[in-house]
Amino acid sequence: MTIDFRAEFDKRQEDFMADLISLLAINSERDDSQANKEHPFGPGPVRALEHFLAMAERDGYQTRNIDNYAGDFEYGEGEEVLGIFGHLDVVPAGSGWETDPYQPVIKDGKLYARGSSDDKGPTMACYYGLKIIKELGLPISKKVRFIVGTDEESGWADMDYYFVNNGLKDPDFAFSPDAEFPIINGEKGNITEYLHFSGHNQGEVHLHSFKGGLRENMVPESATAVISGAVNQQELVEKLSEFTKQYAVSGQVEVVEKGYQVTIFGKSAHGSTPEEGVNGATLLALFLNQFAFEGEAAAYLAIATNLHDDFKAEKLGLAYTDACMGDLSMNAGVFRFEDNSVDNTIALNFRYPQGTDEQVLKTGLEKLDGVSKVTLSSAHHTPHYVPMDDELVKTLLSVYEKQTGLKGHEVVIGGGTFGRLLKRGVAYGAMFPDSVNTMHQANEFMALEDLFRSAAIYAEAIYELIK
């Protein structure tokens, strides 16, 4: 049976766009300030989940909402189950957008909105891939379970809850449409380690506060500090102007009640690729480090300065490379300092290959001058790898090669996807090798043609895995 999956998708393109735009219009950022039993991660993720499940019910699926943590539906019959894992939550929009991040805009063949590429766009493309198989009534011998989560961008508590409470056996194999083609069959370990500091000031210049970063898995797009003491506004403005010109960024000085507020604006990026961003927090520390801070404030700024552009943790003495999985990477993601606080922090998100581990990193960090202690995040993922000779990997690469004419090959990433939830799990699309990666950045977009051709690839891939 020969099926032109792209032609089948094109028949449904208008419906696809309507469904996707309605989903993108929902602000599904995690909001712990409004979290409760009915809204475990705040109301936004729940709204997105309910919207997606209502769409699936419209299309004839029997859906399940697992206590507003996650949802699923199944299609087909058979003993073996293919799992498809997407997520509906998004990272905070942040600043720097040219359009409203929750009013999707199509411009120059690109769809701009938070979640367009991570992960509502790819999840919807995959959903329509399965929709094609269902509507054509293609013969299959396995079952598909389509699962959507609501906390992928934070701690994966959605999937922790889902696997304990969904009442079904785990899928036998799975993929997640939340990365890139040709395939992601290896993912580095992922752990955040927190450096703790006291907040006492000594010296001629006083650090009242230092704040930067929204999430541990995002490069801080900006940072702000409030200082006072032996420094004046004109000096600050002149020095900042020279500094921002040198590093090709922007900044500002404002007079506030306690002294002067200094802000530097960088560029956000995904925490797995910190080299693609400009860390506003480490830049701000680098700028402030020239002034006469002393005591624990000076220690805080010195370490933050040392983190600047240290993407492989080489300055910290923690660099590590594995022949298969590549280099360790580090993102200095969240900075919080308050004068006289006993618990100021810097959050370092590590993506590490096999051969090292979180305890080795912790031991190294504990040697840093001025650090009172080091703690670890509860969310922790160890390195994950599915061999190239696995039938799942071979099938997905074969479909990719057929549809694109490009050679498939294995890829190991620092990012963490739901593909690692199962031993036989991978990530598959939806970014192509020539795509521009705007995940976790301002003005996130996905090219419409990339969405359309990925939907066709997903349709054929799902069919090949379950026929």
Side-chain angles (χ1 to χ4, degrees):
M1 179 184 298
T2 301
I3 303 163
D4 186 337
F5 286 101
R6 177 55 192 264
E8 291 297 332
F9 172 78
D10 287 344
K11 296 175 186 177
R12 299 162 174 82
Q13 185 184 121
E14 186 175 337
D15 291 340
F16 167 82
M17 289 300 298
D19 283 339
L20 175 55
I21 287 173
S22 66
L23 186 61
L24 289 170
I26 299 172
N27 180 339
S28 54
E29 298 175 16
R30 178 170 176 159
D31 184 356
D32 290 338
S33 70
Q34 299 189 65
N36 53 40
K37 184 178 180 180
E38 289 73 32
H39 306 92
F41 313 113
V46 174
R47 285 196 295 269
L49 176 62
E50 291 174 341
H51 183 90
F52 183 89
L53 295 179
M55 178 189 69
E57 289 176 1
R58 175 204 68 194
D59 291 337
Y61 298 108
Q62 185 172 345
T63 68
R64 301 190 308 162
N65 183 330
I66 313 299
D67 298 330
N68 284 338
Y69 281 81
D72 68 15
F73 64 83
E74 291 189 334
Y75 173 71
E77 301 292 336
E79 292 297 317
E80 285 191 89
V81 179
L82 163 66
I84 298 174
F85 290 90
H87 71 89
L88 304 175
D89 59 307
V90 296
V91 297
S95 60
W97 285 76
E98 297 176 3
T99 59
D100 186 322
Y102 296 108
Q103 291 186 7
V105 172
I106 297 173
K107 183 171 60 175
D108 299 326
K110 303 178 181 71
L111 177 58
Y112 289 84
R114 178 56 93 214
S116 56
S117 63
D118 185 17
D119 180 42
K120 292 177 181 177
T123 295
M124 190 63 70
C126 203
Y127 177 86
Y128 264 75
L130 179 60
K131 182 180 173 77
I132 290 169
I133 294 168
K134 178 178 182 291
E135 292 182 351
L136 292 180
L138 299 180
I140 59 176
S141 63
K142 298 181 182 68
K143 188 179 294 184
V144 177
R145 189 182 310 160
F146 204 111
I147 304 155
V148 287
T150 59
D151 188 42
E152 194 273 349
E153 297 292 4
S154 296
W156 291 26
D158 54 348
M159 288 297 108
D160 291 341
Y161 190 91
Y162 176 83
F163 278 103
V164 172
N165 295 282
N166 79 84
L168 300 173
K169 82 177 186 74
D170 294 347
D172 298 280
F173 54 103
F175 72 85
S176 176
D178 189 23
E180 59 197 69
F181 292 116
I183 200 167
I184 305 297
N185 61 312
E187 298 185 15
K188 296 175 186 177
N190 185 340
I191 185 75
T192 298
E193 309 217 357
Y194 304 94
L195 309 183
H196 295 261
F197 306 78
S198 295
H200 301 297
N201 274 269
Q202 300 167 19
E204 298 178 353
V205 184
H206 195 102
L207 180 64
H208 295 276
S209 65
F210 187 107
K211 297 179 181 179
L214 297 171
R215 291 279 179 86
E216 296 153 6
N217 63 349
M218 298 173 68
V219 175
E221 66 178 357
S222 65
T224 298
V226 175
I227 66 174
S228 65
V231 63
N232 62 64
Q233 184 177 8
Q234 182 177 350
E235 177 189 17
L236 271 177
V237 170
E238 290 175 355
K239 288 182 178 294
L240 185 62
S241 177
E242 294 174 4
F243 183 87
T244 54
K245 287 178 181 177
Q246 179 183 352
Y247 288 94
V249 295
S250 60
Q252 62 187 33
V253 176
E254 300 172 274
V255 178
V256 294
E257 182 178 352
K258 291 183 178 181
Y260 303 105
Q261 180 172 284
V262 185
T263 303
I264 286 183
F265 301 95
K267 175 189 174 185
S268 186
H270 197 291
S272 66
T273 53
E275 68 280 359
E276 294 182 2
V278 178
N279 194 312
T282 58
L283 269 176
L284 179 58
L286 180 62
F287 171 72
L288 294 176
N289 208 37
Q290 65 186 293
F291 298 102
F293 295 97
E294 293 184 19
E296 286 144 344
Y300 188 92
L301 292 174
I303 288 178
T305 297
N306 202 41
L307 294 170
H308 185 63
D309 283 353
D310 192 19
F311 307 126
K312 297 182 181 180
E314 293 170 322
K315 299 176 191 175
L316 300 183
L318 300 174
Y320 187 85
T321 301
D322 174 75
C324 173
M325 302 193 80
D327 297 327
L328 172 148
S329 69
M330 177 183 72
N331 177 54
V334 180
F335 295 72
R336 297 290 182 266
F337 181 98
E338 293 290 341
D339 184 22
N340 294 321
S341 170
V342 297
D343 194 22
N344 296 306
T345 56
I346 298 175
L348 302 178
N349 182 235
F350 291 93
R351 313 298 173 108
Y352 65 92
Q354 55 195 6
T356 188
D357 60 42
E358 73 282 6
Q359 291 301 325
V360 171
L361 300 175
K362 182 174 184 287
T363 299
L365 294 173
E366 288 171 338
K367 298 175 182 177
L368 297 175
D369 291 338
V371 174
S372 60
K373 65 178 178 178
V374 177
T375 59
L376 309 183
S377 61
S378 57
H380 177 211
H381 304 291
T382 57
H384 172 78
Y385 183 76
V386 182
M388 286 286 284
D389 59 2
D390 188 286
E391 274 304 315
L392 171 66
V393 176
K394 291 197 295 185
T395 299
L396 294 177
L397 285 179
S398 175
V399 171
Y400 170 80
E401 291 177 345
K402 176 184 174 184
Q403 289 251 3
T404 66
L406 301 173
K407 179 64 178 174
H409 56 85
E410 76 171 2
V411 178
V412 176
I413 63 168
T417 77
F418 280 167
R420 73 193 308 155
L421 288 167
L422 299 179
K423 184 177 181 180
R424 291 187 65 211
V426 300
Y428 188 58
M431 278 186 16
F432 290 88
D434 59 351
S435 299
V436 177
N437 183 358
T438 58
M439 293 184 185
H440 293 202
Q441 299 179 34
N443 303 308
E444 176 184 348
F445 72 82
M446 190 154 184
L448 291 176
E449 178 57 25
D450 285 357
L451 282 169
F452 300 160
R453 58 176 175 163
S454 66
I457 291 175
Y458 287 137
E460 183 163 2
I462 294 169
Y463 182 54
E464 289 297 319
L465 289 170
I466 66 174
K467 71 179 182 180

